Amino acid sequence: MNLRRLVLFLPLVVVVGLGAFLYQRLDDDPYARDSALLSRPFPEFSLSTLGDPQASLDASLLKGQVSLVNVWGEWCPTCKHEMPQLLDLANRGVHMVGVDYKDTRAKGRQFLEEFGDPFSVNLFDPDGTLGFDLGVYGAPETFLVDAEGVIRYHHTGYIRPEDVRDVILPTLERIAEPATGAAGEEASS
């Protein structure tokens, strides 16, 4: 008889256990995930620019200098909130590449006219192919790329002023040091 009672309570135990597991996962921050591309080369691409459908750029754009790559879209409300921080970074001399993600040219240009354009160049990714290769699941997402074209940092969600101060600028300085240090060491040899 005790075995029958145990079998009757087994589904209840499974449901309670599953519920506890799912409840615990509600506190997980989806923005805290690391990119699988950290320490890997930026994915190869060939895209036109937002301003010129005839221009074609590739991943060589990200070699030779440290770059901030920001995936954005006109349809993204939080992209509007981070624009002042991106403009600040551009004013500080940060090389910035925009990726207009799953958008139209007209809407992308209108967005930049309204909120400012901090980017040296804007890649146009209407189908989201580069976004897919980067593992992007929304916008905005930001990648810091070293001078060799290797992804060194990934930020999911909009960049807040404290992110610029506490994370973005220190990371940019850190990933720029090896290139500067290596050149300085070679010059002194």
Side-chain angles (χ1 to χ4, degrees):
M1 206 52 134
N2 286 339
L3 185 58
R4 276 183 86 178
R5 283 188 177 170
L6 183 62
V7 170
L8 287 174
F9 283 108
L10 187 60
L12 179 62
V13 170
V14 169
V15 169
V16 168
L18 183 61
F21 172 77
L22 292 175
Y23 180 76
Q24 186 178 25
R25 299 298 301 195
L26 287 175
D27 287 338
D28 286 353
D29 182 2
Y31 295 117
R33 69 174 172 78
D34 285 334
S35 172
L37 296 178
L38 284 179
S39 301
R40 293 192 178 175
F42 198 88
E44 291 296 323
F45 65 87
S46 179
L47 292 172
S48 66
T49 65
L50 182 62
D52 184 0
Q54 304 306 314
S56 181
L57 297 174
D58 60 28
S60 66
L61 170 71
L62 300 171
K63 294 195 176 167
Q65 64 184 326
V66 174
S67 302
L68 182 149
V69 178
N70 181 260
V71 179
W72 63 276
E74 176 276 335
W75 48 266
C76 163
T78 53
C79 294
K80 298 169 187 170
H81 295 295
E82 81 172 351
M83 200 52 72
Q85 287 72 253
L86 296 178
L87 290 164
D88 175 52
L89 287 166
N91 288 335
R92 293 173 187 248
V94 174
H95 178 249
M96 297 178 51
V97 175
V99 178
D100 187 12
Y101 176 68
K102 294 188 174 183
D103 214 344
T104 66
R105 285 186 197 279
K107 288 182 177 181
R109 286 189 209 129
Q110 181 182 11
F111 176 90
L112 294 175
E113 285 176 20
E114 185 176 344
F115 295 99
D117 185 355
F119 306 107
S120 301
V121 65
N122 267 295
L123 301 170
F124 185 56
D125 189 19
D127 300 323
T129 53
L130 177 57
F132 179 80
D133 291 344
L134 286 167
V136 168
Y137 69 91
E141 290 195 33
T142 302
F143 299 84
L144 298 183
V145 181
D146 70 15
E148 303 301 316
V150 175
I151 296 172
R152 296 299 177 186
Y153 175 75
H154 174 228
H155 184 93
T156 305
Y158 95 99
I159 296 172
R160 302 168 306 181
E162 55 270 22
D163 295 326
V164 170
R165 179 190 67 231
D166 299 340
V167 180
I168 302 294
L169 288 174
T171 304
L172 285 168
E173 288 175 20
R174 181 179 48 80
I175 65 176
E177 284 176 5
T180 305
E185 289 170 17
E186 290 175 14
S188 64
S189 296

